Amino acid sequence: PPPPRSPHKTQMPLLLVPSVALLGLVLQPPSPAARSVRAPRAGRVLLGWGPDPVWSDQSVESISDAGEGLKAITIDAALDGFGKGGQYLQIREPGAEKAGIFAIASAPGASPLEFLIKEQPPSDWSPGTGWLTGASAGAALEMSQAMGSGFLKTDDALEGISTVLLFAVGSGISPIRSVIESGALDGKSVELFYGARTPAMMSYTDKFAAWEELGVSVTPVISQPEGTGWEGCTGYVQDVAREKGIADPKATALLLCGMKGMAVAIKEMAEEAGIPEERVLANF
């Protein structure tokens, strides 16, 4: 018979929660309560949220610099379940147990699939991204189906809304780009507040003009402008938006993707302005 278990040691099932800028928020290791789930069957990785991944063999089509510490990566593949801006998927090395979770940067229906990947070291909860950001075109990978419901989780999510404010920091611009280019915001007054530490760390600046043509007013914000020659808005996106003011809170919705501190501050700003919590939308 198997030896008795030690009363001082408890084997926990593997929960894979990558600490990457997936949805804009840096995901933290799960709480003890979140870890109290049934043990997975052999060979199965339990996420603790979302569907089980269905893996397909794919490869990197192209990889290029997209800002300091950021890579633009394309994968030429059909993607089941991708229909809304803000969705994401999992990518891993072939045969690896751990996977990273990445927001999809391209719009539904666009080809190839595009991603904005932050260079990140491995941790207890994540394989890191170095294996991918350091790859070359043709590198093999395994990719899941599309996951999540995007920013606009119901068809009437923007019913009665005339103004949409978008907030993104760093690689959080990835799913925001997807919803901009998806056409889901057509007919709305849209303003994007996009923050980065320095101009060199800001991606997609070459797309700002095209977004403006789609009706999106773009306000880039730099939080550490010293020595960069930056002449635009400085500080944090939520502070710049607060200073501008919200003209019609009752007809305004906010979409956000960024670090936890930014999300908390934007929710506080929305509450101060009288915008209901259900109109502050994240992509998870």
Side-chain angles (χ1 to χ4, degrees):
R5 292 184 179 180
S6 166
H8 303 293
K9 292 184 180 181
T10 302
Q11 283 193 324
M12 307 305 295
L14 175 62
L15 283 175
L16 185 60
V17 183
S19 180
V20 296
L22 143 76
L23 318 160
L25 300 179
V26 175
L27 299 180
Q28 301 299 326
S31 65
R35 290 196 291 259
S36 299
V37 295
R38 64 183 177 83
R41 59 180 182 266
R44 180 184 178 192
V45 176
L46 184 65
L47 283 170
W49 51 270
D52 289 338
V54 178
W55 299 106
S56 64
D57 295 328
Q58 305 294 341
S59 62
V60 173
E61 181 185 62
S62 69
I63 181 167
S64 60
D65 292 332
E68 189 176 305
L70 295 163
K71 295 289 186 179
I73 291 177
T74 64
I75 299 173
D76 188 10
L79 184 60
D80 291 341
F82 183 32
K84 294 184 177 181
Q87 289 183 274
Y88 51 91
L89 50 67
Q90 296 185 52
I91 297 175
R92 68 182 184 184
E93 285 188 271
E97 187 175 53
K98 293 183 179 181
I101 303 179
F102 305 100
I104 305 165
S106 47
S111 182
L113 296 171
E114 297 185 49
F115 302 87
L116 181 64
I117 312 285
K118 181 180 180 181
E119 296 174 344
Q120 194 157 356
S123 70
D124 290 342
W125 302 99
S126 166
T129 60
W131 72 271
L132 184 55
T133 58
S136 302
L141 55 85
E142 293 178 350
M143 186 178 77
S144 76
Q145 76 277 27
M147 297 179 172
S149 302
F151 289 103
L152 307 178
K153 295 171 177 56
T154 61
D155 292 338
D156 61 352
L158 296 181
E159 185 175 338
I161 298 299
S162 60
T163 300
V164 178
L165 303 182
L166 308 174
F167 295 89
V169 173
S171 59
I173 191 63
S174 182
I176 292 290
R177 173 195 165 188
S178 182
V179 77
I180 288 173
E181 297 179 2
S182 72
L185 306 180
D186 289 356
K188 310 295 182 183
S189 174
V190 184
E191 184 163 8
L192 166 64
F193 297 89
Y194 173 25
R197 290 180 184 175
T198 68
M201 299 176 75
M202 182 166 280
S203 300
Y204 297 150
T205 54
D206 59 331
K207 299 185 180 296
F208 289 176
W211 293 348
E212 295 270 0
E213 290 181 3
L214 292 174
V216 178
S217 174
V218 180
T219 300
V221 182
I222 298 300
S223 62
Q224 297 179 10
E226 296 80 6
T228 67
W230 179 255
E231 297 180 352
C233 293
T234 60
Y236 298 104
V237 290
Q238 63 270 19
D239 296 329
V240 172
R242 181 182 281 109
E243 185 175 343
K244 283 196 170 188
I246 299 175
D248 187 3
K250 293 182 179 180
T252 299
L254 280 56
L255 277 59
L256 60 92
C257 188
M259 59 191 63
K260 182 177 180 180
M262 181 208 76
V264 170
I266 288 174
K267 289 179 180 179
E268 291 174 351
M269 180 192 72
E271 184 178 5
E272 292 168 4
I275 297 174
E277 184 178 358
E278 60 268 21
R279 285 200 262 116
V280 181
L281 307 174
N283 60 327
F284 63 97

